[in-house]
């Protein structure tokens, strides 16, 4: 099933997500749906809240970035109940975008290196470190589980300049080549209990 993407202004994007239970009914189907939705939307990452589920899960597939960086060709992972346990390295700007905030990109400053603990879709535990683009994407997706959007992390002056555009997105004034859910619209029926 392909979910519509929830856009800026919807309260589900501001909620703190809850932990996924091992063996939770419908979980494997939901993960497949996340992949499918992300691929059809041309995204490189997608988190539960972006399809209206306040669950601590996100998926990342960087194959689409392989032209810029061949090392990203084969990175495809689901992160369940992740915890970023360390953020180290230089604080660096990087231009970010988000399927939930169409047509807006901004430089966001984040630490360059992270250590993250998480479970994959088979509930195997991982404890890994990332830097570069992967560290960046993981931190962005992780923030979705905490109700944080990249536009929260930009300087106040940039935020003020974006205010009108963000309000317009909430009202459906944007172009996207994927289906979306506006703040005033109802979410899809629950698959996960
Ligand atoms: Co995002």
């Amino acid at each position: 099933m392909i979910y519509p993407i929830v856009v800026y202004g919807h309260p589900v994007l501001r909620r703190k997500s809850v932990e996924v239970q091992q063996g939770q009914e419908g979980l494997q189907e939901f993960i497949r749906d996340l992949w499918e939705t992300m691929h059809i939307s041309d995204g490189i990452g997608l988190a539960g809240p972006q399809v209206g589920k306040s669950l601590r899960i996100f998926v990342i597939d960087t194959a689409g970035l392989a032209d810029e960086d061949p090392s990203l060709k084969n990175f495809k992972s689901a992160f369940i109940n992740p915890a970023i346990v360390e953020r180290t390295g230089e604080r660096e700007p990087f231009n970010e975008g988000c399927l939930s905030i169409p047509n807006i990109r901004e430089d966001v400053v984040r630490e360059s290196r992270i250590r993250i603990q998480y479970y994959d879709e088979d509930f195997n535990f991982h404890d890994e470190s990332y830097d570069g683009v992967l560290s960046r994407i993981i931190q962005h997706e992780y923030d979705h589980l905490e109700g944080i959007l990249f536009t929260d992390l930009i300087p106040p002056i940039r935020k003020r300049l974006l205010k009108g555009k963000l309000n317009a997105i909430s009202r459906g004034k944007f172009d996207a080549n994927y289906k979306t859910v506006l703040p005033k619209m109802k979410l899809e029926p629950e698959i996960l209990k």
Side-chain angles (χ1 to χ4, degrees):
M1 171 187 163
I2 292 158
Y3 283 91
I5 307 280
V6 176
V7 301
Y8 189 91
H10 198 294
V12 74
L13 294 176
R14 293 309 193 176
R15 243 170 256 155
K16 196 173 151 78
S17 292
V18 300
E19 293 223 323
V20 176
Q21 302 303 313
Q22 189 169 2
Q24 191 165 346
E25 203 185 322
L27 179 63
Q28 293 306 321
E29 189 185 348
F30 181 62
I31 294 170
R32 277 199 302 276
D33 291 344
L34 279 175
W35 287 123
E36 209 179 341
T37 303
M38 187 187 77
H39 286 135
I40 206 131
S41 315
D42 273 333
I44 49 174
L46 186 66
Q50 293 182 278
V51 296
K53 310 286 180 221
S54 295
L55 283 172
R56 299 189 75 78
I57 177 169
F58 58 80
V59 295
I60 292 176
D61 182 349
T62 58
L65 301 174
D67 283 351
E68 295 152 53
D69 183 345
S71 74
L72 297 172
K73 194 175 159 204
N74 293 315
F75 188 88
K76 185 171 186 259
S77 277
F79 293 76
I80 297 174
N81 298 339
I84 293 181
V85 293
E86 269 174 39
R87 295 178 201 252
T88 53
E90 297 284 309
R91 286 177 58 79
E92 300 171 336
F94 188 90
N95 201 247
E96 295 190 23
C98 182
L99 290 174
S100 294
I101 314 177
N103 317 132
I104 290 182
R105 299 195 69 89
E106 285 289 324
D107 282 344
V108 180
V109 175
R110 300 182 190 269
E111 277 83 3
S112 61
R113 192 172 175 80
I114 56 156
R115 185 175 150 212
I116 185 168
Q117 298 175 339
Y118 67 98
Y119 295 85
D120 61 27
E121 58 255 71
D122 301 317
F123 263 86
N124 297 310
F125 179 75
H126 297 260
D127 185 335
E128 293 163 356
S129 292
Y130 290 95
D131 54 21
V133 177
L134 282 173
S135 161
R136 173 64 57 163
I137 299 167
I138 291 168
Q139 291 182 72
H140 175 115
E141 297 308 326
Y142 185 83
D143 276 355
H144 277 298
L145 310 184
E146 300 293 313
I148 297 167
L149 301 170
F150 80 86
T151 46
D152 301 339
L153 307 177
I154 60 176
I157 177 137
R158 292 294 314 159
K159 227 180 284 183
R160 276 201 296 282
L161 290 167
L162 276 184
K163 207 169 173 213
K165 270 194 188 175
L166 291 171
N167 287 339
I169 289 173
S170 299
R171 295 194 311 272
K173 305 254 181 294
F174 60 84
D175 293 317
N177 54 5
Y178 44 88
K179 288 216 170 83
T180 53
V181 180
L182 303 181
K184 62 177 184 205
M185 287 158 65
K186 265 198 177 159
L187 294 169
E188 290 288 312
E190 293 288 313
I191 283 186
L192 288 167
K193 305 268 181 308

